[in-house]
Amino acid sequence: MKLASQEGLAAGNTLQEKLDALAEAGYEGIEFWGGGLAERTDEIRRACKDHPVQPAAICAGFQGCPLDADKRERDKASADICRLLELAGELNMAGLIVVPVFGSPRIPDLSPLASAVQLEMDLLLKLCEDWAHAAEKAGTAVLLEPLNRYETHLLKTLQDAAGICEKIGSPHIKIIADFFHMSIEEASMPHAIEKAAKHIAHVHLADSNRLLPGLGHTDFKSGFNALKNIGYTGYMSLECGNPNTDKMQGLKTSAQFMKQQMMP
Ligand code: LER
Ligand code: MN
């Protein structure tokens, strides 16, 4: 298991400074926001070449919403997702993080024919089939992200997302396990990880208060143990706030805390 961080959390002004700062603080991966990434691939490739910190994943950054009522919005999202998958493949990343819909349904309830959620799930399955082909061609994966009840109504547990992976049956449709959302929605984080084991291809880390791991009350040790037990070897990427006035010190202390929690 490799520690990573979203780019925005890294200390420094340039990408090179951020990569160097992350390496010094004990991290091995960097996760990028998808927006504007196409114009940065050369810079990223150059800066990451032979660097101890490697590109880990792309976090969303596509326009539109794949489950919007408006076909133009859906098509815009899907086209962007396919383009970002190409970039994720070119940069040798675990995949592109996709939240199918934030907030409430955007499509109408057509019950008794079909509820909004039934329509969303059917639509998502169709889209995942297309994305699986795009991801396979690019040599990467779609990373479906379950959130929590305050941020989405659709995918809220690892099992919700794993169910889609099972139905699609492609190694290019995977899930990301976000410790913050899991701490709200899962009855047991280790059990959820073990049950969704074969689909987990990326991890987000934040403590219970969505600050750096070590600053809240989430039990990272049992979560890390579960990841170890399922043989997870991918990235675990920080997606959280850093309240420390010395950003670098905050990242270093949190990395030390996480490494301690990974010990048997
Ligand atoms: C949103 O809460 C989140 O966890 C992000 O990773 C979604 O892109
Ligand atoms: Mn997340």
Side-chain angles (χ1 to χ4, degrees):
M1 298 190 292
K2 296 170 283 190
L3 292 181
S5 169
Q6 290 190 335
E7 184 183 15
L9 270 128
N13 295 317
T14 64
L15 177 59
Q16 194 64 58
E17 284 172 7
K18 286 172 196 237
L19 292 172
D20 295 346
L22 284 177
E24 191 191 327
Y27 297 80
E28 297 174 78
I30 182 164
E31 184 182 299
F32 293 96
W33 176 247
L37 200 65
E39 291 75 47
R40 301 183 60 206
T41 47
D42 287 344
E43 178 203 8
I44 294 170
R45 236 191 305 265
R46 245 192 332 267
C48 290
K49 189 168 184 287
D50 301 324
H51 200 281
V53 175
Q54 288 297 302
I58 301 175
C59 189
F62 49 87
Q63 291 183 36
C65 168
L67 301 183
D68 202 274
D70 183 340
K71 185 174 178 337
R72 283 167 305 188
E73 288 296 305
R74 295 200 299 274
D75 289 350
K76 194 162 46 175
S78 224
D80 258 10
I81 285 170
C82 292
R83 270 192 291 271
L84 287 169
L85 283 168
E86 280 174 28
L87 299 186
E90 279 170 30
L91 292 168
N92 211 14
M93 290 161 154
L96 167 71
I97 296 166
V98 173
V99 174
V101 58
F102 285 90
S104 308
R106 291 159 178 252
I107 51 182
D109 178 342
L110 295 187
S111 55
L113 182 65
S115 70
V117 168
Q118 280 169 317
L119 290 170
E120 286 178 314
M121 291 304 270
D122 288 349
L123 187 50
L124 183 54
L125 284 173
K126 283 257 178 273
L127 291 170
C128 281
E129 282 171 15
D130 295 345
W131 298 341
H133 292 305
E136 182 174 8
K137 200 163 149 224
T140 189
V142 171
L143 304 166
L144 293 173
E145 182 170 17
L147 302 183
N148 65 71
R149 69 194 68 184
Y150 307 108
E151 295 184 47
T152 189
H153 66 284
L154 198 64
L155 305 182
K156 289 176 295 203
T157 63
L158 298 195
Q159 269 316 293
D160 289 342
I164 293 171
C165 299
E166 299 281 343
K167 285 195 180 119
I168 299 294
S170 157
H172 301 278
I173 301 290
K174 296 285 197 182
I175 68 179
I176 157 175
D178 182 318
F179 273 47
F180 174 69
H181 303 305
M182 286 164 69
S183 76
I184 297 173
E185 296 295 341
E186 304 289 358
S188 155
M189 288 174 44
H191 289 165
I193 289 169
E194 277 154 22
K195 209 163 163 215
K198 64 173 189 268
H199 305 297
I200 299 175
H202 195 55
V203 171
H204 271 168
L205 296 176
D207 216 318
S208 53
N209 44 12
R210 224 169 190 187
L211 296 177
L212 287 168
L215 299 181
H217 56 76
T218 291
D219 176 8
F220 284 93
K221 200 174 182 69
S222 68
F224 290 163
N225 249 332
L227 286 169
K228 235 189 279 173
N229 289 343
I230 65 166
Y232 181 72
T233 55
Y235 289 103
M236 304 194 295
S237 187
L238 290 180
E239 184 189 53
C240 58
N242 178 357
N244 209 305
T245 37
D246 182 344
K247 299 283 168 212
M248 186 66 175
Q249 192 51 51
L251 288 174
K252 272 187 187 168
T253 308
S254 191
Q256 280 158 7
F257 166 80
M258 291 187 281
K259 284 174 185 174
Q260 237 167 24
Q261 303 300 301
M262 282 182 222
M263 283 196 232

